[in-house]
Amino acid sequence: MEIAIETKKRVYRFGDKSADGNSTMKNLLGGKGANLAEMSALGIPVPPGFTITTEVCTEYNALGQETVLGMIKEEVEDAVNNIARIMGTEYGNVDNPLLISVRSGARVSMPGMMDTVLNLGLNDEVVHGLVAKTNNERFAWDSYRRFIQMYGGVVLGMKPESKEDIDPFEEIMEHLKEKRQIELDTQFTVQDLKDLVYDFKDAVKKRTGHDFPSDPWEQLWGAVIAVFNSWNGDRAVYYRNMHGYPAEWGTAVNVQAMVYGNMGDNSGTGVCFTRDAGTGENVFNGEYLINAQGEDVVAGVRTPQQITKLGSQRWAELAMVEEADRAQNYPSLEELMPQMYQELFAHQATLEAHYKDMQDMEFTIQDGKMWILQTRNGKRTGAAMVKIAVDLYKEGSIDEAEALLRIEPNKLDELLHPVFDPKAIKRAHIIAQGLPASPGAATGQLVFFADEAKKFRNTILTRIETSPEDLEGMNLAKGILTARGGMTSHAAVVARGMGKCCISGAGALKIDYKNRTLTVEGKEYHEGDWISLNGSTGNIIEGKVATIEPVLSGEFAELMAMADKYAKMEVRTNADSPKDAKVARNFGAKGIGLTRTEHMFFEVDRIKAMREMILADTVKGRRQALGDLLPMQREDFEGIFEAMDGLPVTIRLLDPPLHEFVPHQLATQKELAEDMHISLQAVKNKVAELQEFNPMLGHRGCRLGNTYPEITEMQTRAIIEAALNLKAKGIASKPEIMVPLIGTVKEFLEQERIIRSTADEVFEAYGDRVEYLVGTMIEIPRAALLADQIAEHADFFSFGTNDLTQMAFGYSRDDAGKFLPIYLEKGLLIVDPFEVLDQEGVGQLVQMGTERGRKTKPQLKVGICGEHGGEPSSVEFCHRMGMNYVSCSPFRVPIARVAAAQAAIKANMVH
Ligand code: ADP
Ligand code: MG
Ligand code: MG
């Protein structure tokens, strides 16, 4: 990439009720920086500071540390001095010091994935100045030891050496706590804190060979570089890849005056949400800690208390704490500091009204003054996403189109997952109770380390607390359980973002990493033991619990109705059985876009007849076997037509290569030989004969029906007879017979001739008729090229984008596993083209096929039935192509409906 080293603005200031930037500048200032600027201009009390742009991060990656620091030095120094001016202090001054934080912040929020350092500017002299200035010795030394701890970890690489180890600084603190027989950080004396500072610095020297940097400016540059580096750290890279965020974005760096939540009992810090991020309920909620600094709440060091009285009461109910005890020992902020609570409440209301979305905020109370340190659109579960969007619409804050655009279609999937069967829950043995941090039902085997989350098929990752390093394991586990941390802990926030079931703060759990055990009230559980988590109630349950289908909320139905108003395309489903068809109809499918008939042949009683058909050497033999299959196939279609009750049903004729049906194991081959009264050798010969060098390009698709016309005849007969049988019962059906893998016009014509003449025979025999269509799949590039000719005969087109992708790329789907993952890792491909339609290349074939087809037949019905039919960006593409419908698996139908609506809305916005 080209980088201009011209003089441009690289530092944007905020504070004092004004700002250089605003919330629309997220790409340049990162989400945190843009929102700090916006809040500052809104008059929200934000500590003054500035943002070094994401462009500088990119420049750093290209040009290196020295050049970039040279480029920003002056601007940064001026901006630091500006903060000092506003605060009436000076950075590095011993008597009147300014302390600052250096915070990461990419354009999208990546909670905890990058680094932040607090309390920069402290050293052995400044700490004395801070004591004198604040008259608070304990606070000054507490800040200093926190600074060395954070800076040491983030900038100087003082991390645990192995996964069983704890943080080297934590270890020193644990030792001291043991020696002093205390439990909490807050119980350290001033002398303890001084000792810690000394020991921490000693540990740094021992491990790194260097003294801890005492020059405040050196500290600042070190932290800025560390934040830039954290953009390419393991956690951030994993998170970025998971979400498809490109490396070019970079992170901004926010430098901000420190405000102190650790100044005593009139100070504190917390995190709050304007609505419930788990359920979407419109209740203000959050957690706080008295006498603590920001990261304490998120890191789950101490389990925090609830901000609102209602939240505190709900918590007490779960924790089985008596009301009197609760009010006394676990008061809410609302009760403890009513004035601070009022202010916080007002700010959250202002910010939600301003951003018109649920906000996730950080605040710090310094000696009775409220400061807001961050706001962002809060991460939420799928259920909360739907409820909040619909509620905001009903409250008049956003319109319907905006509500629909707020939906991340893929997250709807979470709502459709099974939940625990209430009857099974009643009988279950609840071993402990935690906080319902992220709803859902999870059953799995216990594992204690994130990198072992794949050890069993279904795992419950159980940790004292999670850290951002655990992200990958959290993603792989079925559920997450932590002993510490509240509803705003890292585990909780990340789990909700992933839509993963999570219980946090289950204090009764004793976790022993070394022995890999979990002990609750004397009972020991081991790695591999089964447990279940109910993320909606916080119940931790022994063993497995049965699940049932979820009940969908009223808001879900309202959202879907909204989507249908805007969508121009219909959503159909891919379904091979009446059961799938019913599920899909419940999710709002308007028809079936693909019934794969071969799936029906794999069932036990049918596969035999199918094999006999394949093994038959004569047309007569084949017809006989097909005769056995006919009634079964007819019954299948009757079931599906009935389930769809008059909606169109597209049925694809037999498609896969025949060798997929024949037995490959000796025992089954013997059995078949006996059944058919032929020799084992004959079976073996036939199997060998069916072997193909390249089955994906071999004897399959319409090539089967054209070489064995009796297969097409039988299938047509089954379809038409099913429709007529239902008609006799007063049930309508709309069969659409689809010919697969057409490459030439004649291939289609031959199949069409067989289908129509067979249908006529059936009509004659029944003395009745039904309407039906004969169309084709467009999945061989040649068919897309000749679409104008094919459309002269075909009633409809359906793009089979799985095969089309395979043939356009020349990637065999069966062999792609050998190279696709490597291609993705190396960035040779950005996404898997079998998941996300390649609009640039394969898309051209789709566009050409659609346009050429419609040139011949303007009203030609066009749809898509590959896996892409339920993938939001591909659905949007189909809308732009002017398709009539997309078809996808039943559980993706709601996703496609919303994606179709969003496509229509976005297309409208452009005009
Ligand atoms: P993350 O993106 O991981 O949340 P942040 O940059 O928001 O990291 O900072 C971590 C914690 O430190 C937050 O709780 C934040 O509120 C707190 N914090 C950051 N800067 C300051 C500051 N200037 N004064 C007081 N607390 C701060
Ligand atoms: Mg933050
Ligand atoms: Mg195909």
Side-chain angles (χ1 to χ4, degrees), residues 437-557:
S438 181
T443 290
Q445 290 172 272
L446 279 176
V447 293
F448 296 98
F449 297 100
D451 60 356
E452 294 175 8
K454 261 198 298 199
K455 195 157 191 172
F456 309 102
R457 211 183 135 109
N458 297 303
T459 55
I460 302 291
L461 177 61
T462 305
R463 302 279 304 163
I464 295 172
E465 68 216 354
T466 67
S467 79
E469 271 82 8
D470 298 336
L471 184 73
E472 183 170 357
M474 293 171 73
N475 196 22
L476 293 169
K478 281 278 175 287
I480 297 148
L481 173 62
T482 72
R484 283 198 223 152
M487 301 279 287
T488 55
S489 65
H490 173 265
V493 171
V494 171
R496 284 196 294 269
M498 290 175 174
K500 187 139 296 186
C501 171
C502 173
I503 295 178
S504 65
L509 310 184
K510 299 275 168 293
I511 295 168
D512 179 345
Y513 288 142
K514 286 232 153 66
N515 293 309
R516 299 174 186 239
T517 57
L518 163 68
T519 312
V520 195
E521 287 174 5
K523 179 150 188 200
E524 207 172 84
Y525 297 87
H526 302 93
E527 180 181 276
D529 286 351
W530 285 86
I531 60 165
S532 300
L533 307 181
N534 186 343
S536 312
T537 60
N539 288 340
I540 303 159
I541 302 161
E542 194 176 88
K544 303 182 195 180
V545 182
T547 57
I548 53 166
E549 291 307 314
V551 182
L552 293 169
S553 68
E555 282 87 3
F556 179 82

Side-chain angles (χ1 to χ4, degrees), residues 652 655 700 740-741 777 779 800-804 807 813:
R652 180 178 70 185
D655 184 51
R700 58 171 287 225
L741 222 68
M777 294 193 69
E779 53 188 338
T801 47
N802 298 348
D803 268 308
L804 194 59
M807 295 193 217
R813 261 185 293 165

Side-chain angles (χ1 to χ4, degrees), residues 160-231:
E161 281 176 293
S162 81
K163 71 180 176 189
E164 277 98 358
D165 283 338
I166 60 169
D167 176 273
F169 298 118
E170 285 286 341
E171 196 176 337
I172 294 172
M173 291 211 292
E174 289 302 320
H175 269 301
L176 186 59
K177 280 183 191 167
E178 236 168 76
K179 199 172 108 195
R180 298 259 299 96
Q181 300 212 321
I182 54 172
E183 262 177 42
L184 298 174
D185 301 2
T186 44
Q187 292 170 306
F188 285 131
T189 63
V190 172
Q191 189 53 50
D192 290 338
L193 294 167
K194 287 181 181 172
D195 289 347
L196 284 175
V197 164
Y198 181 83
D199 291 344
F200 283 2
K201 292 210 305 190
D202 211 37
V204 168
K205 177 89 196 242
K206 274 214 187 89
R207 177 121 156 226
T208 68
H210 297 284
D211 283 321
F212 188 89
S214 61
D215 173 17
W217 290 100
E218 187 188 338
Q219 293 170 359
L220 173 57
W221 300 123
V224 169
I225 294 301
V227 169
F228 283 152
N229 285 337
S230 69
W231 174 253

